[in-house]
Amino acid sequence: MKYLDVDGLGPVSRIGLGTWQFGSREWGYGDSYAAGAAREIVSRARALGVTLFDTAEVYGMGKSERILGEALGDERAEVVVASKVFPVAPFPAVVKQRARASARRLQLTTIPLYQIHKPNPVVPDSVIMPGLRELLDRGEIGAAGVSTYSLQRWRKADAALGRPVISNQVHFSLANPQPLDDLVPFAERENRMVIAYSPLAQGLLGGKYGLHNRPGGVRAINPLFGTENLSRVEPLLDVLRQVAADVDAKPAQVALAWLLSLPNVVAIPGASSVEQLEFNVAAAEIELSAEAQTALTNAARAFHPVSGARSMADLLLDKVGRR
């Protein structure tokens, strides 16, 4: 495993474990999964050197935090547990109350990394951050982070907190490389951390799906899997497949390895099984040549997906195709 040293956190595994699916029925994970597979996944993650575990109060309406806290057991205080507060009425008293509720569910006295889940479009960070500052001063959280913040708002959050906001968790992958432009250089320069969520673009970068093999379930409404985007992404997938063949790996592993080749970036793919976890963690051992990194970056920048919801025609084609 590779690690990133970040002020206020210590060594953070470059591959973490996203636990948004723990307790989330829309992804098919029920009570039996929580008591069995989830614990096995967390246990194996620790054995493989994973130290970053990401959750949030809204994942499964608190179930993810409870499942993760129980699964970590006595090791829960030895790893970097990152949780998030959803910024509804994010006034200091509310933020502190919600942080303490998350800590109880996680069975922690200190949450190592506590993040604002998304920017509040109405309430500025000058109002939100004093709550996190008091939590920091009282030792109830170890460090403050944000999620889906622009660089401009990240800087404003810094100023409002009065100390570094050490991380920004953003949608980041070869299919969504925009953080390369400003967030990654800022993180490298200031010794911060960019946490890449959805690093495999919900499986798009695994090369499994295409025009004749569209996904069902939750993925079916993701515009990335629409007809036009599945056509547009093929050049990127071709480069992924070629690099994967060159390094004797799978395309999804190369997609993760590309993120880890960037400075101050960690990735938090989810895992529905121990096998999937092991597959993801193995990506940390892949060394990409400078030529491969450049080829992947160029292909990522050349991919311009169309936005918006998938068309009714796409959804009808999916329905007919699955009969």
Side-chain angles (χ1 to χ4, degrees), residues 209-230:
Y209 301 113
L211 289 171
H212 305 293
N213 182 33
R214 293 186 178 88
V218 176
R219 293 181 179 90
I221 61 173
N222 186 333
L224 275 178
F225 295 97
T227 301
E228 180 65 23
N229 285 334
L230 287 174

Side-chain angles (χ1 to χ4, degrees), residues 160-235:
L161 186 65
R163 63 195 76 177
V165 174
I166 67 154
S167 66
N168 193 357
Q169 184 176 144
V170 293
H171 188 190
F172 191 11
S173 71
L174 282 167
N176 191 72
Q178 287 80 3
L180 281 174
D181 296 333
D182 53 4
L183 298 181
V184 173
F186 175 76
E188 181 181 21
R189 186 170 63 250
E190 301 292 332
N191 192 29
R192 311 292 179 87
M193 177 169 61
V194 173
I195 303 174
Y197 76 79
S198 198
L200 298 176
Q202 290 195 6
L204 179 69
L205 298 175
K208 171 183 176 182
Y209 301 113
L211 289 171
H212 305 293
N213 182 33
R214 293 186 178 88
V218 176
R219 293 181 179 90
I221 61 173
N222 186 333
L224 275 178
F225 295 97
T227 301
E228 180 65 23
N229 285 334
L230 287 174
S231 177
R232 291 186 180 206
V233 80
E234 270 304 313

Side-chain angles (χ1 to χ4, degrees), residues 231-269:
S231 177
R232 291 186 180 206
V233 80
E234 270 304 313
L236 170 58
L237 294 180
D238 285 343
V239 175
L240 259 179
R241 294 182 185 112
Q242 182 58 59
V243 174
D246 291 344
V247 298
D248 192 24
K250 299 296 184 181
Q253 292 174 315
V254 170
L256 291 173
W258 175 79
L259 284 168
L260 304 195
S261 73
L262 303 170
N264 292 70
V265 176
V266 302
I268 50 168

